Amino acid sequence: MLAPLARRSCPAFLCIHALKIKKNCLPLCTSRWTSTSVIPRITTHYTVYPREKDKRWEGVNMERFAEEADVVIVGAGPAGLSAAVRLKQLAAEQEKDIRVCLVEKAAQIGAHTLSGACLDPGAFKELFPDWKEKGAPLNTPVTEDRFGILTEKYRIPVPILPGLPMNNHGNYIVRLGHLVSWMGEQAEALGVEVYPGYAAAEVLFHEDGSVKGIATNDVGIQKDGAPKTTFERGLELHAKVTVFAEGCHGHLAKQLFKKFDLRANCEPQTYGIGLKELWLIDEKKWRPGRVDHTVGWPLDRHTYGGSFLYHLNEGEPLVALGLVVGLDYQNPYLSPFREFQRWKHHPSIQPTLEGGKRIAYGARALNEGGLQSIPKLTFPGGLLIGCSPGFMNVPKIKGSHTAMKSGILAAESIFNQLTTENLQSKTIGLHVTEYEDNLKKSWVWKELYAVRNIRPSCHGVLGVYGGMIYTGIFYWIFRGMEPWTLKHKGSDSDKLKPAKDCTPIEYPKPDGRISFDLLSSVALSGTNHEHDQPAHLTLKDDSIPVNRNLSIYDGPEQRFCPAGGFHGS
């Protein structure tokens, strides 16, 4: 067995970084690592290299303490917290004693939720009818709604007609991190047991195959996968029903998709990456309640994406701005982060930021597949809510409201099953099929059905502009009632072209005032990764980065990651 290597010293890393110095090094790197070469071991995760086969783990105590609950919820975002709150509301109304445990990987509730979102408040108000009296942080109603198409130098205004998905009348601009934190306080006040700082690392199963619960992450592990002297086993949380609200592309959900074949009858999910910054700007340029969306430059018509600029009213002149890029782009040289930095220099954007100060940066993945890509939502012992299965309304650029409603519906379905007398269950873990039925009868399904064809309509020869034309005809006029459903054209990775067929993109150097480099940006993200701990990325095959990604696509990992996680130490 090869000695484990740190990522910074591995040949894959050295090859990728050599490309930045000498482009003609590519043949040398790729020829060095042929399919018959011995590939250095990069991945150390126990799911790839089992601990029972690793001598370094011999004699280590692997027992875990276990807790029993009625419901365990994974993820304290809008969906998970809505489910937790609704469960305890129902328990209080009907005087039932239900133990609800919620685990969240962030050290504080809301800490991994970057501020700046436009919220459709329907589901939130349903969950908290007295939200004003309780002081919910909905401080900025939308007062001005603008949409435009950007060319390199100009902004072409486009009217937002009533009924179009991007119409934000009645919505609120919120600091979503603050809103999630407030929801966490309400959950705890109702009796939900909230465990921040505990990432769910493993799905547990009963002998009959139903979900038993989850185990939290082990701590005290070296970067090479060996136990430290401080090693401690994670906690097991068992439940009658486990609710997975991990967010987009959660690692536990991926295991469940495979085990229960949940994606058998849906299309592949398609994704986007959203990059966002929070700025303090000159008060003279501040327009509280303004919502501004654009499409076009710096992206070409075949690259799905768009920008947003929201003016918050939080007692200081704050704006949240960002760029969303569909991950079905074609050119492997495209860098979503650098496209975002370039976008800020547009003549219609830069004046707002001049004289201001950037105070936060972050990014998140987005589900963009819509109705066609929603998997089966229930399985014995558990169910999926929120962005885990993917309820984002893509043309509306909103998913928090549908995530919250899915959590509410899940809670009501679970509660009915938990409180049914003489319940007959075929498995130890309860299978709450009622949830999926109720969701498909709700406004969530109706809303997603109406916009189902907008995202796939952008795959035509006109690209994004073809999608806008389609939206104007079939959504605004027919409200999505056309008798067909368009398909996505395969997975995102299938769209990427080989590097030899594409032109490298020359990005301008950041000026340190409006645009910034990646390192200084990550420093504002709140990301904290100890040097001697395992990487958060796990490769199924350590040969892929060099033999495929680098040799064919010129190592796109170094460009598409918004934190540089694929090529840093």
Side-chain angles (χ1 to χ4, degrees):
M1 180 185 293
L2 291 174
L5 299 173
R7 266 189 301 170
R8 185 169 286 279
S9 62
C10 78
F13 175 87
L14 295 175
C15 284
I16 288 173
H17 275 264
L19 290 172
K20 298 180 179 180
I21 303 169
K22 291 186 178 181
K23 280 286 178 185
N24 61 7
C25 124
L26 181 59
L28 173 64
C29 293
T30 54
S31 62
R32 180 180 173 187
W33 298 104
T34 65
S35 59
T36 58
S37 299
V38 177
I39 301 298
R41 181 169 144 188
I42 302 169
T43 299
T44 62
H45 199 268
Y46 64 86
T47 56
V48 179
Y49 293 97
R51 289 169 178 168
E52 55 266 26
K53 296 181 180 180
D54 189 337
K55 291 184 178 180
R56 299 173 301 176
W57 287 88
E58 289 181 0
V60 177
N61 182 5
M62 301 301 285
E63 287 188 27
R64 285 192 286 221
F65 181 74
E67 284 275 352
E68 300 289 336
D70 293 297
V71 181
V72 167
I73 300 171
V74 179
L81 284 164
S82 294
V85 166
R86 187 61 185 141
L87 275 166
K88 295 302 281 188
Q89 286 176 340
L90 290 166
E93 290 168 10
Q94 300 191 27
E95 298 182 344
K96 300 288 185 180
D97 185 19
I98 292 179
R99 186 181 184 192
V100 179
C101 296
L102 187 152
V103 295
E104 163 58 35
K105 66 183 185 299
Q108 294 177 311
I109 302 301
H112 284 182
T113 308
L114 185 63
S115 292
C118 193
L119 176 73
D120 178 332
F124 182 81
K125 290 180 178 180
E126 179 184 337
L127 189 62
F128 300 106
D130 55 349
W131 63 274
K132 286 186 179 179
E133 292 79 4
K134 288 185 174 179
L138 269 65
N139 303 317
T140 314
V142 174
T143 57
E144 185 182 0
D145 212 357
R146 306 198 312 173
F147 185 76
I149 299 172
L150 297 187
T151 65
E152 188 172 355
K153 295 182 179 180
Y154 301 101
R155 181 185 187 278
I156 304 168
V158 176
I160 302 176
L161 301 173
L164 285 175
M166 61 286 294
N167 189 306
N168 285 290
H169 179 74
N171 294 335
Y172 287 80
I173 307 170
V174 298
R175 298 191 68 172
L176 197 57
H178 290 189
L179 186 65
V180 166
S181 177
W182 181 88
M183 290 177 69
E185 294 170 3
Q186 307 311 304
E188 288 189 290
L190 287 165
V192 177
E193 297 176 36
V194 180
Y195 297 100
Y198 289 88
E202 183 182 342
V203 183
L204 305 175
F205 298 94
H206 291 290
E207 290 184 3
D208 65 1
S210 62
V211 172
K212 185 179 184 178
I214 57 97
T216 62
N217 57 306
D218 298 336
V219 295
I221 303 173
Q222 293 175 182
K223 190 172 187 176
D224 64 3
K228 297 179 182 178
T229 56
T230 56
F231 173 76
E232 288 186 19
R233 202 77 161 106
L235 170 71
E236 289 191 7
L237 286 170
H238 303 166
K240 296 168 185 172
V241 182
T242 305
V243 179
F244 294 87
E246 296 176 279
C248 177
H249 208 56
H251 73 292
L252 299 186
K254 287 190 288 184
Q255 296 173 35
L256 295 166
F257 291 156
K258 185 175 180 180
K259 179 173 178 61
F260 295 107
D261 201 16
L262 301 179
R263 302 202 67 88
N265 298 312
C266 69
E267 292 190 38
Q269 185 61 263
T270 181
Y271 300 95
I273 183 74
L275 303 106
K276 185 186 294 185
E277 292 178 350
L278 198 63
W279 282 64
L280 277 170
I281 63 168
D282 185 338
E283 195 163 351
K284 296 176 183 176
K285 305 172 184 178
W286 183 38
R287 302 291 182 269
R290 174 184 285 182
V291 167
D292 204 338
H293 290 109
T294 68
V295 296
W297 189 88
L299 306 176
D300 62 33
R301 72 177 188 275
H302 294 298
T303 303
Y304 184 84
S307 74
F308 59 89
L309 178 59
Y310 302 151
H311 292 248
L312 293 129
N313 189 10
E314 299 281 339
E316 53 186 349
L318 279 173
V319 294
L321 61 151
L323 182 73
V324 175
V325 179
L327 292 181
D328 57 350
Y329 60 80
Q330 300 174 0
N331 189 340
Y333 293 107
L334 186 146
S335 166
F337 172 80
R338 298 183 77 175
E339 295 289 352
F340 174 37
Q341 298 305 313
R342 178 160 64 170
W343 166 80
K344 290 186 290 179
H345 284 283
H346 191 272
S348 70
I349 305 299
Q350 182 167 335
T352 300
L353 304 178
E354 286 177 339
K357 180 183 179 183
R358 185 179 67 154
I359 60 174
Y361 163 79
R364 63 159 293 184
L366 305 167
N367 291 307
E368 293 189 342
L371 194 81
Q372 296 91 318
S373 301
I374 294 174
K376 190 174 187 298
L377 301 173
T378 67
F379 41 89
L383 48 81
L384 303 166
I385 64 173
C387 287
S388 192
F391 297 129
M392 181 176 171
N393 183 328
V394 179
K396 198 171 182 175
I397 326 174
K398 291 174 184 60
S400 295
H401 65 304
T402 50
M404 289 179 184
K405 183 61 176 179
S406 72
I408 293 169
L409 290 169
E412 292 170 349
S413 303
I414 293 167
F415 185 82
N416 287 342
Q417 197 139 333
L418 289 176
T419 55
T420 298
E421 293 185 12
N422 303 317
L423 176 68
Q424 299 295 315
S425 177
K426 294 180 181 179
T427 54
I428 301 172
L430 300 182
H431 192 177
V432 190
T433 57
E434 178 188 342
Y435 159 59
E436 187 160 346
D437 296 336
N438 290 343
L439 188 84
K440 289 181 177 179
K441 296 173 186 174
S442 74
W443 57 259
V444 172
W445 205 260
K446 182 179 179 181
E447 181 177 309
L448 295 181
Y449 181 83
V451 299
R452 71 196 182 282
N453 287 328
I454 295 178
R455 176 67 173 92
S457 72
C458 297
H459 294 310
V461 66
L462 295 177
V464 174
Y465 304 111
M468 292 176 64
I469 294 169
Y470 188 97
T471 302
I473 297 172
F474 292 104
Y475 184 83
W476 190 62
I477 297 175
F478 297 112
R479 289 295 187 266
M481 296 306 293
E482 62 268 28
W484 59 81
T485 296
L486 302 178
K487 291 185 176 182
H488 300 293
K489 296 185 177 180
S491 62
D492 291 339
S493 58
D494 294 339
K495 314 294 192 312
L496 198 66
K497 293 181 178 180
K500 64 181 178 59
D501 298 333
C502 299
T503 304
I505 302 172
E506 296 296 328
Y507 290 103
K509 186 178 179 180
D511 66 1
R513 296 184 305 106
I514 303 297
S515 53
F516 303 90
D517 62 24
L518 189 58
L519 192 62
S520 64
S521 300
V522 174
L524 292 175
S525 69
T527 304
N528 181 27
H529 189 83
E530 195 177 305
H531 175 71
D532 191 21
Q533 73 179 68
H536 67 287
L537 302 167
T538 301
L539 300 175
K540 291 181 179 179
D541 183 345
D542 286 348
S543 71
I544 294 294
V546 172
N547 288 349
R548 179 172 172 79
N549 297 357
L550 180 61
S551 64
I552 301 175
Y553 302 104
D554 196 21
E557 305 97 320
Q558 61 186 310
R559 290 177 285 273
F560 64 60
C561 181
F566 288 89
H567 61 101
S569 61

